[in-house]
Amino acid sequence: MEHFEPEIVAFCCHYCAYTAADMAGSKRISYPSNVKIIRVPCSGKVDAIHLMKALEKGADGVYVAGCLAGDCHFKNGNVRAEARVNRVKKMLTELGWEPDRVAMFNMSAGMGEAFARIAKEFTETIQKLGPSPVKTGAVNQAAS
Amino acid sequence: MKTDSRLEKVLASGELAVTSECGPPRGCRPEKVKEKAALLKDHVDGINVTDNQTAMVRMSSCTAGILIKQMGLDPIIQMVSRDRNRLAMQSEIIGAYSFGINTMLCLSGDHAKFGDHPMAQGVFDIDSVQMIKMVRQMRDDGLFQGGAKIDGPPKMFVGAAANPFADPFELRVMRLAKKVKAGVDFIQTQCIFNLDKFEEWMKGVVDRGLDEQVHILAGITPMKSVGMARYMKNKVPGMDIPDDVIKRLEGVSKEQQPEEGIKMAVESIERLKQVKGVHGFHIMAIEWEEKVPQIVEKAGLFPRPKV
Amino acid sequence: MITAEQKPIQEIIQYIAPYSRILLVGCNECVTVCAAGGRKEVGLLASALHLSHLKQGKNIDIREITLERQCDPEYVEELAPYIDGVDAVVSMACGCGVQTIAGRFKKTPVFPAVNTRFMGASLSQGVWAERCKGCGDCVLGITGGVCPVARCSKHLFNGPCGGTSHGQCEVSQDIDCAWRLIWERLKELGLESRYEELMEAKDWRPGGAGGPGTIIREDLA
């Protein structure tokens, strides 16, 4: 099988993960370039539809990165985000998709290394899962 | 006398009444009904026939009651509002009375959730209090619930249940008062294990003079084992089993537990005989009907009066 | 309001399997409030259906639209321009909405995407509980504002059954015993004596026993 470079979308909270990504950059800690970061004002701003649309458009994996438990700038946005991620996981399972294509992570602004590690690990997870069913479906259909 | 009910006659005589019960079989086995009834026949004034108890399908109480009636005994048919609307209830009552069944018990019934058809729609067209009123009206006014005249009204002696132990306790006497107001003739209580609480409830009943208007039969259940006691404490809704009961059963060997259970039942009867307003006992020996005669005899309630 | 929950997605997928052009219709009323079939849920369901089809390498054309009210013919009429261009309609409204669409567009199949549950109230964010059975003869005025029809599992009218334990219903410890609530409320109102008034056997006709209900307001009709 040829090498698979997944496309990953990461919704990163401005107050933590986005800053952490910045820090990783300034400290020259490398993380996979597959991860496309979308800055959001709070992880709670990410709705289920955003995760779904990313998958629909061909992302192989999507995750939300929000503040540590109890540290949300807007009180409980991270808790809500996690609930939504779980809902999408459930929906994916019902659809016969791998639920692990979406995930929720928590970190603080200072955790540049954690940001890089999570990006790397999630990329590996998605590499194991293989390309998005959106891509494989189109290929299979064309072959049949 | 309002009816030909043997239970009514015994109660009117001032003697302590004794009733017991048998659960009909879960299949076409009429001999099972007869076997159970035969065990009780000389020792009770009436035999309750449960109506799909714990929401499990069984032979209908009316049919099993007819089998018992045909043995020359006195069935008390139970009827739950869970399974029948008012049409079905009234037709069943007429049918039962046509076979000489003259005593019945009006109940709400356990929720279908507890049984083997939890997906069933419960009927609950009328509640137990309204059922009492309906049966009274059929008997005393000769009218159906809907108001039409009955050609040959059924003369039922009407009973109901009371659970002195369910929440909220302060409502329990009032709930009885409501049944009395609806016209109930006799009450069989939930199994009594917490005698102090029962006596407290009876005091409330007597204070309101309800004991003058209704006959109360105290519910007695012998424990077969400590396992049964624990199960009833934890799993059966509305049951009050004090820790003392469990401790006492735990205190004897497994082989002796049945005997201890019977001893406790007899002691309860002896104590409750002294309670003002208690006019008899309803002995529910669950799948243990053969022990009822022994309990009745040991409690000094034998022989039964000839009425 | 009327509450609903989305059907299992596979059931919806089966309904629409024979069709390739779908009109997915939400409703801005009750199902929006209970997050079952508003604009947001329409978007999510459309996306989920796309994911399902994309996995099989298929495409499905889903047009999303959310009406002000699906149970009013005036609003349902807004679907008329689209109906000829689709093979089937999937409605995310309650059963009233589904039927209004089915009644208006005779030749297009309509499928429900939600299960209509009950008339309920919101207890807190994301939590709804049944409060009304639509019995057609409201007794709340004599039961202290707590409904025995909707909230007692046996809809008893004359007090709690013997199954109450710890103040909860025998059906589940998560359900409050309605008669405990009624009693507590009557006490707070100083209306304890009302408890002992017999409530007569209910006439179920206005609540549906008399056949499907209709209201005709002469001054409006």
Side-chain angles (χ1 to χ4, degrees), chain B residues 12-79:
Chain B
S13 75
E15 298 262 2
L16 286 168
V18 179
T19 57
S20 186
E21 73 178 31
C22 77
R26 282 174 54 79
C28 309
R29 297 265 172 254
E31 66 277 9
K32 297 238 176 182
V33 178
K34 291 179 192 164
E35 281 164 21
K36 283 185 176 179
L39 293 170
L40 304 169
K41 69 181 170 70
D42 297 323
H43 290 79
V44 298
D45 309 314
I47 301 170
N48 279 43
V49 190
T50 54
D51 186 12
N52 288 341
Q53 68 185 96
T54 61
M56 307 273 274
V57 178
R58 290 168 184 273
M59 182 187 291
S60 85
S61 60
C62 176
T63 326
I66 291 168
L67 289 169
I68 294 171
K69 190 72 196 176
Q70 287 172 343
M71 295 167 72
L73 304 177
D74 301 280
I76 300 170
I77 55 164
Q78 300 192 176
M79 190 171 284

Side-chain angles (χ1 to χ4, degrees), chain A residues 49 52-53 56 87 91 94-95, chain C residues 6-10 12-13 16 22-26 36-53 60 62 64 90-92 111-114:
Chain A
I49 191 72
M52 295 290 281
K53 283 288 172 196
E56 210 183 300
R87 176 160 178 231
M91 214 182 284
E94 285 172 16
L95 290 166
Chain C
Q6 192 183 306
K7 278 182 174 289
I9 192 108
Q10 290 301 334
I12 303 170
I13 289 171
I16 62 168
I22 305 294
L23 185 58
L24 180 55
V25 192
R39 192 182 307 276
K40 223 170 173 179
E41 290 72 31
V42 164
L44 263 182
L45 179 58
S47 190
L49 295 174
H50 279 306
L51 288 191
S52 166
H53 279 72
I60 183 167
I62 302 174
E64 301 171 31
V90 173
S91 163
M92 297 198 81
F111 300 102
V114 304

Side-chain angles (χ1 to χ4, degrees), chain A residues 77-131:
Chain A
N78 50 355
V79 177
R80 288 179 187 276
E82 181 164 11
R84 289 174 194 146
V85 167
N86 288 337
R87 176 160 178 231
V88 172
K89 277 178 177 286
K90 193 166 160 260
M91 214 182 284
L92 292 180
T93 308
E94 285 172 16
L95 290 166
W97 278 51
E98 301 91 347
D100 291 344
R101 288 191 186 275
V102 295
M104 173 80 199
F105 298 106
N106 300 80
M107 64 191 71
S108 74
M111 294 164 74
E113 281 168 23
F115 179 87
R117 179 174 47 76
I118 284 165
K120 188 164 164 278
E121 284 172 7
F122 188 72
T123 304
E124 286 165 7
T125 303
I126 300 301
Q127 270 170 338
K128 278 186 202 132
L129 290 177

Side-chain angles (χ1 to χ4, degrees), chain B residues 129-146:
Chain B
V129 174
Q130 293 159 347
M131 198 196 310
I132 293 165
K133 199 170 171 195
M134 176 181 80
V135 184
R136 274 288 295 244
Q137 181 182 306
M138 292 172 80
R139 176 184 81 199
D140 298 342
D141 306 333
L143 298 175
F144 286 117
Q145 199 273 339

Side-chain angles (χ1 to χ4, degrees), chain C residues 115-136:
Chain C
N115 290 320
T116 310
R117 292 292 311 277
F118 49 77
M119 281 188 273
S122 173
L123 302 188
S124 60
Q125 167 86 2
V127 181
W128 296 272
E130 186 163 12
R131 288 292 178 265
C132 180
K133 283 271 191 208
C135 75

